[in-house]
Amino acid sequence: ALGRAIVPLPRPLKGSPEPHFSFAGLKSAVFRAVGQHAPEDIAASFQAAVVDCLIERTRRGIADIEATALVVAGGVAANTAVRGALQQLAAEHGLRFVAPPLWLCTDNAAMIAWAGAERFAAGLTDPLDTPARARWPLDPDAEAVRGAGVKA
């Protein structure tokens, strides 16, 4: 049975002027809901909370920049609720929505390989001795922010 988003769960950082993401408190709230609500309702409520947070944070980010597209990738792009909400947000702001095919969104290795294929097709290559990095920012000149391995 499909769940209903009826479990009251927090929306961390809602209304914050910062563009950062955090799900602090959400995991604890889900843990407390176990045994008090049906599992499918907890799952639906968790998904609704995450979608709300992602949309609110992304809406805030879009307002601060000039963009032509909203790009989503990785496992988050495989969630149809998240993908649909981001697609709608992009349309509301007149942005092109860009996401890989669903079959490429379930595994980070597939996403990394796809990104490599796109870079190679664009004529971009790196030497074989390029070091591996666990966190590689999209903009290497950007200021480090909380949540990117930096304690605030």
Side-chain angles (χ1 to χ4, degrees):
L2 292 177
R4 299 169 298 146
I6 60 170
V7 180
L9 296 176
R11 272 53 175 174
L13 290 180
K14 185 170 183 171
S16 168
E18 295 185 12
H20 313 300
F21 286 90
S22 172
F23 294 108
L26 186 55
K27 179 181 169 186
S28 299
V30 167
F31 182 76
R32 287 190 302 271
V34 172
Q36 297 180 23
H37 298 277
E40 60 271 19
D41 291 342
I42 296 171
S45 300
F46 174 80
Q47 178 172 268
V50 168
V51 168
D52 288 349
C53 290
L54 292 175
I55 295 304
E56 200 256 349
R57 300 281 86 209
T58 305
R59 180 175 282 119
R60 184 169 300 281
I62 288 173
D64 293 341
I65 62 170
E66 290 184 31
T68 59
L70 176 58
V71 179
V72 62
V76 71
N79 181 292
T80 55
V82 169
R83 191 179 185 112
L86 289 171
Q87 199 164 16
Q88 181 179 340
L89 180 65
E92 289 171 9
H93 289 270
L95 300 175
R96 190 166 56 101
F97 180 77
V98 180
L102 283 173
W103 63 272
L104 286 175
C105 296
T106 59
D107 185 302
N108 283 341
M111 288 303 305
I112 292 167
W114 185 266
E118 291 290 329
R119 285 179 50 82
F120 185 75
L124 302 170
T125 61
D126 294 304
L128 293 176
D129 62 350
T130 298
R133 292 174 60 184
R135 290 190 169 102
W136 204 315
L138 295 175
D139 180 357
D141 298 324
E143 180 181 338
V145 296
R146 187 171 37 141
V150 175
K151 302 283 184 200

